Amino acid sequence: QVQLVESGGGLVQPGGSLRLSCAASTSIFSAYAMGWYRQAPGEQRELVAQITSGSRTNYADSVKGRFTISRDNAKNTVYLQMNNLQPEDTAVYYCNANRFVTNSWGQGTQVTVSS
């Protein structure tokens, strides 16, 4: 398993921005597909964005044009830049690392969008 530690969550007003970070403890970080998921109260966990080992990206329709996922393989870190945040983006955001049979999750970081 890969240990993942998220950071960067917090409280932001509508229209604001946050950048989430996820640091991974593995020597082969570049080989992993990385993803950000979120779970709002009473809802199922949903995919927000993914980035493959080759840096191809995929986004949920609800965040396209507002969120950007990126990775820095030298720092074993994946990022989620979130712009123009809206109240419906409020959730716990989880980092995910996936490669073959390995599927690891971080502990989550809370993002609250409220005025």
Side-chain angles (χ1 to χ4, degrees):
Q1 293 294 312
V2 178
Q3 292 210 343
L4 302 169
V5 179
E6 301 105 331
S7 60
L11 173 64
V12 63
Q13 292 186 341
S17 297
L18 284 174
R19 188 176 82 153
L20 305 183
S21 299
C22 172
S25 62
T26 172
S27 61
I28 54 169
F29 175 78
S30 62
Y32 280 83
M34 301 298 297
W36 286 98
Y37 291 72
R38 67 186 181 188
Q39 188 167 17
E43 302 289 333
Q44 290 193 338
R45 192 172 297 188
E46 64 175 0
L47 174 67
V48 176
Q50 290 175 315
I51 185 165
T52 69
S53 58
S55 294
R56 287 178 297 172
T57 58
N58 179 47
Y59 296 93
D61 287 343
S62 59
V63 307
K64 281 181 181 177
R66 300 188 298 125
F67 290 12
T68 302
I69 189 170
S70 61
R71 65 191 300 157
D72 185 338
N73 291 334
K75 295 182 178 180
N76 283 13
T77 300
V78 62
Y79 304 98
L80 185 68
Q81 177 66 44
M82 306 185 292
N83 297 330
N84 191 21
L85 283 159
Q86 300 300 316
E88 54 265 33
D89 295 316
T90 295
V92 178
Y93 284 70
Y94 296 91
C95 180
N96 175 266
N98 184 271
R99 180 175 183 264
F100 300 132
V101 298
T102 300
N103 190 43
S104 300
W105 295 92
Q107 82 286 353
T109 185
Q110 176 71 46
V111 172
T112 302
V113 185
S114 175
S115 56

